[in-house]
Amino acid sequence: GGVGRRVHPRSAGQQPDPMLTVGIDNLPATGANRFSTSAEDMTMKRIGLSQEWVPADKRAARESAATAVARRESVLEQVAAADARMQAAAAYVDAYYAGEALKLTALNEKHARQDLEAGKGRLASVAGSSAEVLGLSGALGTAEDDSADVRQQEADAQAALQRWTGAAAEGLQAPRLAAVPSLEDFVGRDPAVVVKQRDVDVARRELDVARLNRKPNWSYEVSYGQRQGRPDLVSFGVSIPLPVAPAARQDRETAAKLAMVEKAEAALAEARRAAAGQYAALAGDARSL
């Protein structure tokens, strides 16, 4: 599937854009000179810039969180590609062995036909019996049915393979199967485990951001005011947010992010157990076969 446009993780670690402020102070609202910008010497045209200053540790935490999200999205792409390769490989194996099975059923059908002809010959020479010929005829019918069933299975398998590769399944070679992985390697490469591990990384980085958000960001502002007939003015200011109820806001946000970390870690542990159980089941099937 397609992937939407992403924001580069480094942009999350930059300072916010500055804000331009433009305004008019002390504009007359009543009287003959109302809304006049030049009649009253108290009226001042003002232009200024303000900038929120985010500390370096906060910007680093935000960049780290954005990087973790980007890595998770990259892993999702890799998981989708790996799943497509697995489906194509399974279709190849099915198509190849369906062709091999058809060779066997065709050979059985050939032998059954030869046996029936031999039985008819013995019946004609009074060396055989009608019951033998009937039995051989039934065996041939069974062999023909088996060939028809396997032929249909081969056609379905070839269609599935063409769906994944876009090419007709002709002249397939015996598949070269990979070596059996160890339990640790199987669990570590399981798609669900890989994705859940990235979810844990994202949750931890977002928790770091929430903890640092407890410290408010200061904003700095400078403005220039122009007055009619009086000296112009320059203003400087600093805005400092005052957390009124940190227990109801910042602390709750941090607790929520911590809960998301615990949830992601529990999901990762469950994915590992599921992958280990799948490995045990597949290993048991392999030993049985």
Side-chain angles (χ1 to χ4, degrees):
V3 179
R5 185 179 63 180
R6 297 177 185 155
V7 178
H8 197 280
R10 289 189 61 184
S11 64
Q14 298 175 356
Q15 292 287 359
D17 292 333
M19 294 186 62
L20 174 66
T21 59
V22 178
I24 299 178
D25 296 335
N26 303 319
L27 184 68
T30 61
N33 296 324
R34 64 177 181 175
F35 304 130
S36 173
T37 60
S38 59
E40 176 64 50
D41 60 3
M42 290 292 293
T43 300
M44 182 175 64
K45 302 174 184 177
R46 175 174 46 82
I47 184 171
L49 287 174
S50 63
Q51 173 69 59
E52 180 186 6
W53 189 262
V54 181
D57 55 351
K58 278 190 178 182
R59 289 185 281 115
R62 292 177 181 179
E63 182 175 349
S64 179
T67 300
V69 173
R71 288 175 177 173
R72 179 178 61 184
E73 296 303 318
S74 177
V75 164
L76 291 176
E77 290 184 0
Q78 296 173 14
V79 166
D83 182 69
R85 291 195 298 269
M86 184 187 69
Q87 297 291 346
Y92 187 98
V93 170
D94 289 343
Y96 173 77
Y97 284 107
E100 294 299 299
L102 182 60
K103 292 178 183 178
L104 292 177
T105 57
L107 185 61
N108 289 337
E109 184 180 347
K110 177 182 178 181
H111 290 166
R113 186 172 287 106
Q114 291 174 347
D115 290 342
L116 177 59
E117 295 300 324
K120 289 180 178 179
R122 289 192 296 272
L123 180 62
S125 64
V126 196
S129 65
S130 300
E132 179 188 8
V133 173
L134 289 175
L136 292 173
S137 179
L140 176 59
T142 300
E144 291 173 342
D145 290 344
D146 292 342
S147 293
D149 291 342
V150 175
R151 191 175 295 109
Q152 181 61 47
Q153 295 174 11
E154 183 191 33
D156 293 343
Q158 289 179 347
L161 179 59
Q162 187 170 7
R163 172 256 185 273
W164 287 104
T165 63
E170 298 178 356
L172 300 180
Q173 302 296 320
R176 296 188 297 271
L177 301 180
V180 177
S182 65
L183 173 61
E184 293 75 13
D185 188 53
F186 182 89
V187 173
R189 293 176 178 270
D190 183 79
V193 172
V194 174
V195 172
K196 297 301 182 184
Q197 180 63 63
R198 293 303 182 187
D199 288 342
V200 170
D201 294 340
V202 171
R204 288 174 177 172
R205 301 291 82 77
E206 291 180 346
L207 174 61
D208 294 338
V209 173
R211 285 172 172 168
L212 290 172
N213 282 340
R214 291 174 55 85
K215 299 184 297 182
N217 300 330
W218 292 20
S219 297
Y220 301 87
E221 180 178 1
V222 58
S223 62
Y224 182 86
Q226 185 184 53
R227 300 192 295 177
Q228 187 73 20
R230 303 189 69 177
D232 296 343
L233 302 176
V234 176
S235 301
F236 301 92
V238 179
S239 299
I240 305 175
L242 299 177
V244 177
R249 295 181 183 178
Q250 288 84 355
D251 291 350
R252 287 188 178 182
E253 180 183 3
T254 302
K257 295 300 183 181
L258 179 59
M260 294 302 295
V261 171
E262 295 174 351
K263 178 182 177 181
E265 290 176 343
L268 173 61
E270 172 59 25
R272 289 184 178 277
R273 288 192 295 269
Q278 184 182 15
Y279 181 88
L282 293 173
D285 291 342
R287 286 192 297 269
S288 176
L289 292 171

